[in-house]
């Protein structure tokens, strides 16, 4: 597991470089993509990325300048903005990650539905465990 985590971190750095950004910006862009149609505010993004609102402003500014996101007015509160992914940027990221996800899908085809259920359970529970432990370490 340590090898997978370390390799993921190295891969995140490599993918970010290929997309012309740093790993923190790519992580935040990933959170924006994960949110889908439920556009995040800067505060939402700061909470998910565990950075200050000041830091997230810099991240969003860089992503916007690079053409990855736009700011859109919040329909329920005009003083607030929501962050939306730009489709051309989504296409660039998808083109880079697509072959990797295709290989993962191919690998999952080697498992039975019951085994996939166990893997899904493990990743879901481990993700929660990691998040909870990170909060504990941070003392929040």
């Amino acid at each position: 597991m340590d090898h997978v985590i370390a390799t993921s971190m190295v891969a995140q750095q490599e993918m970010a470089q290929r997309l012309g950004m740093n790993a923190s910006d790519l992580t935040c862009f990933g959170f924006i993509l994960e949110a889908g149609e439920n556009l995040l505010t800067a505060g939402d993004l700061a909470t998910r990325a565990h950075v200050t609102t000041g830091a997230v402003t810099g991240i969003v500014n860089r992503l916007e300048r690079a053409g990855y996101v736009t700011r859109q007015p919040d329909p329920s509160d005009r003083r607030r903005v929501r962050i939306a992914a730009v489709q051309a940027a989504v296409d660039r990221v998808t083109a880079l990650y697509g072959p990797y996800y295709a290989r993962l899908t191919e690998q999952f085809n080697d498992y039975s539905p019951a085994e996939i259920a166990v893997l899904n359970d493990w990743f879901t529970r481990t993700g929660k465990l990691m998040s909870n432990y990170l909060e504990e370490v941070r003392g929040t």
Side-chain angles (χ1 to χ4, degrees):
M1 190 164 113
D2 288 339
H3 177 76
V4 170
I5 291 168
T7 303
S8 294
M9 292 172 68
V10 170
Q12 182 83 340
Q13 291 281 350
E14 178 70 26
M15 298 299 200
Q17 284 180 338
R18 290 180 182 273
L19 293 165
M21 62 175 87
N22 64 49
S24 295
D25 293 1
L26 180 56
T27 297
C28 286
F29 188 65
F31 287 132
I32 292 164
L33 293 178
E34 181 182 49
E37 298 296 318
N38 300 316
L39 302 182
L40 302 176
T41 65
D44 297 333
L45 188 55
T47 298
R48 289 184 188 199
H50 294 277
V51 298
T52 65
T53 53
V56 91
T57 297
I59 292 168
V60 173
N61 286 345
R62 286 191 300 275
L63 289 173
E64 189 174 41
R65 276 194 308 272
Y68 282 91
V69 300
T70 61
R71 289 175 166 100
Q72 297 181 356
D74 186 317
S76 63
D77 182 351
R78 292 185 167 256
R79 296 168 294 176
R80 191 177 356 183
V81 296
R82 301 259 174 195
I83 305 158
V86 172
Q87 187 58 51
V90 174
D91 295 344
R92 283 195 305 269
V93 171
T94 301
L96 183 60
Y97 279 92
Y100 172 68
Y101 282 112
R103 290 174 189 174
L104 280 177
T105 299
E106 202 173 291
Q107 184 171 306
F108 280 125
N109 288 335
D110 293 339
Y111 295 95
S112 71
E115 290 169 324
I116 295 291
V118 169
L119 289 169
N120 184 56
D121 177 67
W122 189 88
F123 280 107
T124 300
R125 291 173 55 198
T126 301
K128 288 177 185 172
L129 183 145
M130 291 172 73
S131 293
N132 291 340
Y133 185 69
L134 183 57
E135 293 299 323
E136 183 181 317
V137 167
R138 288 186 173 132
T140 56

